[in-house]
Amino acid sequence: MRANIVMKYMGYVLLLNAAFMFASAATSWYFDVDTAFYPLLLSGVLTMAIGIIPLLFVPSGDNITSKEGYCIVVGSWMMSCVVGMMPYLLWGGEFSLVNAWFESVSGYTTTGATILKDIEAVPKGLLMWRSATHWMGGIGVVMFALVILPSIGKTKMTISSMEISHLAKDNYQYRSNVIMHILLWIYLGMTLLCTALLKISGLNWFDAVNHALSAVATGGFSTRNASIGAFNNGWVEAILIFFMLLASLHFGVIFATLTGKRNNMFRSEVIRYFLASVAVVALISGISAWNEGLFPTIWSALRAGVFQTASLISTTGFSTTSVFGWGAVAIFVLMFASIQCGCAGSTSGGIKADRVVLAFKIIKARIRQQQHPNAIIRLKLNGQIQEASVINYVSIFIVAYVAMLLIGAIGFAACGFTLDGSIAASVASLGNVGLEVCDFGGFANAPAFARFFAPILMLFGRLEIFGFIQLFLLNTWK
């Protein structure tokens, strides 16, 4: 493996990070040069210096191997999380080394969990940086860099194939270079529209921009301690529900719908299943919360149920109220939503609705195979026959995901979390959900090891387990 070539392409990603640091510093400058201005400015300069060195001294390399492609993708994510700590560490406050690590990884992986006890005391420039890490991580820091890279032919295609899963590619039917531009333009358009609508609904520009960045990235960082509940605005909630769910759909399907293609959202069985699961979970959780006497009317309970379901199934993590106390049935179905999550090709995490639908089809096919041993059964997803390798990978991924959930729960239990708290923390971290953690009053008060361990699970979830595992198995590649 050519380490110098890997470092060169990682340098592009670092320059992207530096650009967003400077943009966040500009926000600090706009708000009377708040205390985050110099930490952000210095972080941007240092990150730019680190990123530009390999670009100046390392020649470009063609025909990148799969091993080098994985190293570029995973290495770029790791380096982004490390340099993303700098603004927090230089600013100080609540950000110790482990807290800066937690906040940085939570931002880039769009988990949205935070160690901050008083978000509103943090300067606006640093809040903008938190939201910027969400926005970069939502579409993928590597994908962002690839779009702005000069034309590098097969190199770009090799790297992009490591960042986009096979299930996500099925609905595009374009070359890798076109796919990346579709992703970016849909992502940018959704962000601008969400920002404008939130401003019209009554938020100021700063809150509108930050919450739009978080909603479209399905991240969950808010500028308020009480999250969306602080606004008590039905229009804001409705807008965020729409964009959280929209960002949970396959971006290629959204593009196909806008351009009148046949593979649109109205013909997708995965999207039909996803929206049906949203409706069922919202209805059950809302009724359960009302039955517990937590809301004065059934309509207020259903309003909260719809918002929390959209927030959790999209892995955003915004909240209008605490879901603990809604009853066991509500917690169970919301936990299911937090494990399944959105669709492949979206910004959400979790197992993905596509794999859940395919898993149901695998079970059904197995039952039919037992009834008719000589039958040849082909599985289709959205009308496309799935290859045996894809079916095998889906089965292995689901098993691996459940195994990682158990490992995560054991790790949190070892930190002193209760049984319920351990499971919730594991689901929140691995699924990049940002689910509220009841133990210790949240991650802010959790033991230091839990705040170090949770980001590891977040990275496993964001890189879909096997992508992150490859980082530790480089010596086994020939």
Side-chain angles (χ1 to χ4, degrees), residues 76-231:
S76 295
W77 276 97
M78 294 298 295
M79 282 297 295
S80 294
C81 291
V82 171
V83 299
M85 296 167 59
M86 286 196 291
Y88 302 127
L89 290 172
L90 292 174
W91 182 74
E94 299 178 58
F95 291 110
S96 61
L97 185 63
V98 69
N99 283 353
W101 163 249
F102 184 98
E103 202 78 7
S104 180
V105 176
S106 181
Y108 282 104
T109 58
T110 70
T111 303
T114 183
I115 54 82
L116 291 173
K117 298 176 183 177
D118 187 1
I119 297 172
E120 294 172 30
V122 176
K124 286 183 169 57
L126 206 59
L127 292 178
M128 180 59 72
W129 171 242
R130 290 167 81 240
S131 298
T133 59
H134 267 350
W135 206 64
M136 283 186 284
I139 196 174
V141 290
V142 180
M143 292 297 296
F144 251 128
L146 287 176
V147 171
I148 63 175
L149 280 175
S151 179
I152 51 178
K154 292 183 179 180
T155 295
K156 183 178 289 190
M157 295 176 64
T158 301
I159 299 174
S160 65
S161 67
M162 308 300 171
E163 184 81 341
I164 307 175
S165 69
H166 178 84
L167 285 172
K169 293 177 185 177
D170 279 350
N171 284 288
Y172 281 108
Q173 301 175 357
Y174 298 106
R175 297 190 311 274
S176 294
N177 191 48
V178 178
I179 290 174
M180 288 183 289
H181 283 87
I182 289 173
L183 272 169
L184 184 60
W185 285 113
I186 292 292
Y187 196 58
L188 182 61
M190 288 170 56
T191 305
L192 294 175
L193 182 58
C194 184
T195 301
L197 291 176
L198 287 175
K199 180 65 175 69
I200 294 172
S201 70
L203 299 191
N204 59 49
W205 278 114
F206 180 77
D207 285 336
V209 170
N210 276 271
H211 288 93
L213 294 176
S214 290
V216 174
T218 61
F221 278 156
S222 176
T223 58
R224 303 301 179 95
N225 292 327
S227 190
I228 308 305
F231 303 114

Side-chain angles (χ1 to χ4, degrees), residues 272-316:
R272 288 197 299 270
Y273 163 77
F274 171 71
L275 295 178
S277 64
V278 170
V280 171
V281 172
L283 183 63
I284 293 175
S285 60
I287 292 175
S288 178
W290 178 68
N291 189 54
E292 293 293 325
L294 300 176
F295 295 90
T297 66
I298 183 65
W299 302 115
S300 60
L302 288 175
R303 170 181 166 181
V306 171
F307 187 89
Q308 294 304 137
T309 299
S311 179
L312 294 180
I313 205 167
S314 66
T315 72
T316 306

